[in-house]
Amino acid sequence: GSGAAAVTLDSSMWWMSDVVTAGVLATDIDADPNDQDNQQFVSVSDSGEVTDLGSAPRHDALSSSPSGDRIVWAPMGSLGGESYTLATLKHSGVDGGDAAQWTAPAQRGFKVLAWVWEDDDHLLAVTQDEAGGESLARCRVDVTRCVTVDSP
C-alpha cells in the first residue's frame, strides 16, 4: 500500500488502508470490530463513484494476484507477538469462493510477509526451518501443500 485516507461512503466513515490489484481495501470505522464484514474491496472510478466489490477476509496481511482474481492472507491475529513463520496461508478467489489454505513444506514455516504472486495460479514464498535456514517454496492454487524450489 501507499498510505491511507479516511473518506465518507454511504453515510459511513471508511478507512481506505491499502490498494491491491483486487481493489482498494476499505474498513468501516463505525462498525463493530468483531464484525467479520467490516472490510470491503471497493473500486473508485475516475468520476469518484465508489463500487463495493465484496467483503475482504479479516487478516493481518493480504495480497492479490496480478489479475486481482485471487487473494492470499495471513488470518487476523496470526502475526502478533514474536511470530516469525506461519504453518499455513489462506487463499481464495477475491469473491470468497474456492477458499483453501496452503501448508508449508515439511519441517518449515512460511516466513512472515515474505510471499509474492508469480502469476494467478502460483505463489512464491520464503520458508524457514527451526534453525533459521531459508528456502523458496512454490504454491499452486489447486494443491494444498507447497513444494520447495530446488536451488540452481
Side-chain angles (χ1 to χ4, degrees):
S2 58
V7 297
T8 301
L9 305 173
D10 301 326
S11 304
S12 294
M13 187 62 102
W14 290 78
W15 184 252
M16 304 296 214
S17 58
D18 204 359
V19 177
V20 293
T21 312
V24 176
L25 264 172
T27 304
D28 185 346
I29 294 171
D30 299 323
D32 177 350
N34 296 315
D35 180 358
Q36 294 292 315
D37 295 322
N38 73 340
Q39 283 198 318
Q40 301 291 118
F41 289 113
V42 299
S43 67
V44 183
S45 72
D46 289 340
S47 65
E49 182 178 332
V50 176
T51 303
D52 183 350
L53 302 175
S55 295
R58 291 180 53 85
H59 62 276
D60 282 342
L62 178 142
S63 66
S64 58
S65 65
S67 72
D69 290 340
R70 298 202 60 81
I71 54 176
V72 61
W73 70 95
M76 182 69 79
S78 62
L79 300 185
E82 298 202 16
S83 175
Y84 300 105
T85 62
L86 300 167
T88 61
L89 289 172
K90 297 193 178 285
H91 65 98
S92 72
V94 73
D95 62 0
D98 226 9
Q101 71 178 17
W102 283 309
T103 303
Q107 309 298 310
R108 308 194 72 76
F110 295 111
K111 191 170 177 183
V112 170
L113 303 177
W115 52 80
V116 64
W117 285 94
E118 178 181 5
D119 57 35
D120 288 335
D121 296 320
H122 300 91
L123 185 88
L124 295 174
V126 176
T127 63
Q128 193 171 35
D129 61 25
E130 289 184 14
E134 294 182 351
S135 63
L136 187 64
R138 189 170 193 240
C139 308
R140 287 182 17 197
V141 298
D142 60 343
V143 178
T144 58
R145 180 168 293 279
C146 300
V147 296
T148 300
V149 175
D150 291 333
S151 299

